[in-house]
Amino acid sequence: MYAGSTETRSPPITVPMLRQFKQEGRRISALTAYDASFARLADDADVDVILVGDSLGMVVHGKRSTLAVTVDDIVYHGRAVARGSRRALRIADMPYASYPDPRTAFTHAARLIAEGECAMVKLEGAGPVIESIRYLVEREVPVCAHLGLTPQSVLRLGGYKVQGRGEAAASALRDAARAAQDAGAELLVLECVPSAVAAAVRSDLEIPVIGIGAGAQCDGQILVCYDVIGISAGRRPRFVKNFLSGRDAVIDAFRQYVAEVRAGEFPAAEHEYAQ
Ligand code: KIV
């Protein structure tokens, strides 16, 4: 159990601050969290963004994919995370099949904001998803888009594979990222794409690009909190680094992660994918 309260070092992160960080060249650090204790540690380590990710289906519930996660699950974990965090901006993942059309997306997003106590929702994919992004933004729901490897597409993709390789795929990815920004997304998560492609997307956009397996030239980085401390089961993806190695406490691992992201030291070349 965590004990007592900690003083806030700096003001809470707001949605407009994300763009400001990009303009100032200040790299954004983000982690997932699923409960109050990890959220408190991330907040105390000065993490800017906490994602209540649907990765909880895998790392908390032990499933083989994120597909079984429900809106109720994200609301439940979002509430717990909200009790532990004060400064970080909280983002809620919209689970698989919870945004088949704009109106349904709005119904679920409103729950994630109102009941799950998050300030932004994240949707995977482009194509028809762009209309849902626009619909949400027009109704005061801040949106984070998620492109590249979208884990909710695992059945179609046939596994968790690097995306955006080759000219046609890279150009489609850049178009999708621009479409998400034009629809009003305030943030973009780019997962498992070659670093050069991520760098191009980043320079195309005014909104910050947060990478996971997308190289060091993104405006920020995100990792699953369990990966940062080396307790996730199964094969470790190339982009993961265990920051607990050589340290005694989880908070020190989180602080080291934030420091390396801000300094542009993480990810290193060994964590990146080539074209
Ligand atoms: O659910 C998740 O953890 C994610 C990643 C981007 C970290 O979407």
Side-chain angles (χ1 to χ4, degrees):
M1 270 232 307
Y2 63 85
S5 65
T6 52
E7 82 284 5
T8 4
R9 292 161 305 277
S10 37
I13 307 288
T14 62
V15 172
M17 283 164 78
L18 298 173
R19 257 184 218 239
Q20 195 186 314
F21 289 159
K22 174 163 180 151
Q23 283 158 10
E24 291 166 357
R26 178 194 179 288
R27 290 190 184 82
I28 298 168
S29 59
L31 280 180
T32 65
Y34 317 103
D35 65 34
S37 296
F38 271 86
R40 172 67 53 106
L41 288 169
D43 219 66
D44 284 351
D46 227 18
V47 164
D48 300 311
V49 169
I50 295 179
L51 171 69
V52 185
D54 60 358
S55 49
L56 70 86
M58 298 171 82
V59 299
V60 178
H61 299 166
K63 299 267 190 177
R64 294 176 73 86
S65 76
T66 60
L67 303 183
V69 174
T70 65
V71 172
D72 283 345
D73 289 334
I74 301 284
V75 166
Y76 174 87
H77 289 276
R79 278 184 177 144
V81 166
R83 286 183 208 115
S85 67
R86 291 159 187 222
R87 178 184 163 276
L89 183 101
R90 291 186 299 278
I91 304 180
D93 249 341
M94 295 205 65
Y96 176 67
S98 70
Y99 46 104
D101 57 77
R103 286 168 69 102
T104 311
F106 179 71
T107 303
H108 290 139
R111 281 198 64 206
L112 297 174
I113 301 274
E115 297 172 44
E117 300 183 46
C118 289
M120 187 178 257
V121 298
K122 177 162 79 59
L123 288 76
E124 294 184 10
V129 175
I130 298 296
E131 275 325 298
S132 291
I133 293 176
R134 193 183 314 281
Y135 193 89
L136 294 179
V137 171
E138 284 171 353
R139 284 156 187 78
E140 306 298 351
V141 178
V143 169
C144 172
H146 182 159
L147 296 170
L149 171 57
T150 47
Q152 291 174 16
S153 315
V154 63
L155 300 178
R156 178 174 56 80
L157 297 175
Y160 301 101
K161 301 171 183 167
V162 179
Q163 302 295 308
R165 274 193 169 135
E167 223 169 283
S171 153
L173 189 61
R174 291 176 74 171
D175 288 348
R178 275 190 288 257
Q181 173 176 276
D182 292 348
E186 286 291 346
L187 195 64
L188 170 66
V189 165
L190 207 47
E191 180 164 352
C192 279
V193 300
S195 306
V197 176
V201 171
R202 185 212 163 253
S203 69
D204 284 343
L205 302 189
E206 281 155 34
I207 60 171
V209 175
I210 307 293
I212 173 164
Q217 290 182 62
C218 296
D219 300 299
Q221 301 293 327
I222 183 162
L223 283 180
V224 168
C225 62
Y226 295 176
D227 287 342
V228 169
I229 55 171
I231 60 167
S232 298
R235 193 181 64 84
R236 196 176 84 174
R238 181 181 174 88
F239 58 79
V240 164
K241 175 173 172 181
N242 179 359
F243 288 82
L244 189 58
S245 174
R247 292 183 182 83
D248 295 331
V250 172
I251 182 81
D252 294 335
F254 285 2
R255 284 196 177 118
Q256 185 64 23
Y257 167 69
V258 171
E260 290 190 25
V261 168
R262 290 215 178 124
E265 290 165 4
F266 175 80
E270 75 214 60
H271 306 114
E272 301 192 355
Y273 297 102
Q275 188 91 27

